[in-house]
Amino acid sequence: MADKFHTVVAATLLMVAAVAHAQSRFEEDFDDKDKPWQEIAVQLPAAPQPGDLVPFYVSATATQSFAIDTRSVSVGQDGVIRYTLAAVSDAGAKNISYEGIRCATYERKLYAFGRNDGSWSRSHRDQWERIQSNAANRQHAALTKDFFCVEKTVAGSAEDIVQRLRQGQTLAPQSNR
């Protein structure tokens, strides 16, 4: 009888240990904190059309005006907001670029430059860079703070972001602009 009791106890302990191990593996599989971030493959969008460009405010001292192609705005599974940016200088020079902003790290990346024929030229500077709030690159800080991110989180879906851009409805209080 004692042997049967010990066998049942041993089997029960093995079963409890197996369940505990399975539970820890289950939790490990869903623990994204310790997994390294990985960027998804980027697909370049169609060239922007004038009717899809929505301007946004950068600063009173900006020497360029900026607009986002609303058809190009996307939020990837990797947490990156990707968009086409149109910049026009006071002298009339135009630049089109396809870029990404990562709220979690307050970084930006330049993927490609638009050509006059509507095609793209991939950027040779294919790395993430910290967003600066200085006058020279204020457009990235304005997008991040005013339309894209709350703290280190993407502020809604691509549709939410486009709606804010179209309505000129910023996330930041007016005093912070």
Side-chain angles (χ1 to χ4, degrees), residues 77-104:
Q77 290 180 333
D78 56 3
V80 175
I81 303 162
R82 293 180 179 84
Y83 57 92
T84 300
L85 177 70
V88 180
S89 74
D90 289 345
K94 297 177 185 176
N95 287 306
I96 304 291
S97 54
Y98 187 62
E99 305 181 358
I101 286 180
R102 189 169 174 223
C103 298

Side-chain angles (χ1 to χ4, degrees), residues 42-50 52-56 65-75 80-87 94-101 109-115 118-120 139-140 143 148 161-162 165:
V42 174
Q43 299 294 318
L44 296 174
Q49 300 300 312
D52 295 320
L53 293 173
V54 174
F56 64 96
S65 59
F66 297 94
I68 295 289
D69 174 13
T70 57
R71 288 185 313 131
S72 70
V73 176
S74 68
V75 177
V80 175
I81 303 162
R82 293 180 179 84
Y83 57 92
T84 300
L85 177 70
K94 297 177 185 176
N95 287 306
I96 304 291
S97 54
Y98 187 62
E99 305 181 358
I101 286 180
K109 188 174 189 177
L110 177 60
Y111 295 107
F113 295 100
R115 295 183 179 136
S119 65
W120 293 99
Q139 69 273 18
H140 301 107
L143 285 171
F148 290 177
I161 292 167
V162 167
L165 284 161

Side-chain angles (χ1 to χ4, degrees), residues 7-139:
T7 304
V8 169
V9 169
T12 303
L13 289 174
L14 281 173
M15 193 169 17
V16 168
V19 168
H21 178 73
Q23 179 65 30
S24 71
R25 290 293 309 157
F26 178 79
E27 288 171 1
E28 251 179 52
D29 290 342
F30 288 99
D31 183 14
D32 291 338
K33 285 183 183 178
D34 296 329
K35 290 183 181 177
W37 175 78
Q38 187 169 347
E39 187 173 11
I40 63 171
V42 174
Q43 299 294 318
L44 296 174
Q49 300 300 312
D52 295 320
L53 293 173
V54 174
F56 64 96
Y57 177 82
V58 173
S59 77
T61 60
T63 59
Q64 297 183 69
S65 59
F66 297 94
I68 295 289
D69 174 13
T70 57
R71 288 185 313 131
S72 70
V73 176
S74 68
V75 177
Q77 290 180 333
D78 56 3
V80 175
I81 303 162
R82 293 180 179 84
Y83 57 92
T84 300
L85 177 70
V88 180
S89 74
D90 289 345
K94 297 177 185 176
N95 287 306
I96 304 291
S97 54
Y98 187 62
E99 305 181 358
I101 286 180
R102 189 169 174 223
C103 298
T105 57
Y106 202 66
E107 293 177 306
R108 68 180 182 93
K109 188 174 189 177
L110 177 60
Y111 295 107
F113 295 100
R115 295 183 179 136
N116 289 336
D117 66 0
S119 65
W120 293 99
S121 171
R122 288 215 178 250
S123 172
H124 295 292
R125 192 178 183 126
D126 193 19
Q127 56 190 303
W128 288 97
E129 298 177 2
R130 184 96 175 126
I131 294 172
Q132 303 294 320
S133 293
N134 60 19
N137 293 306
R138 174 80 178 100
Q139 69 273 18

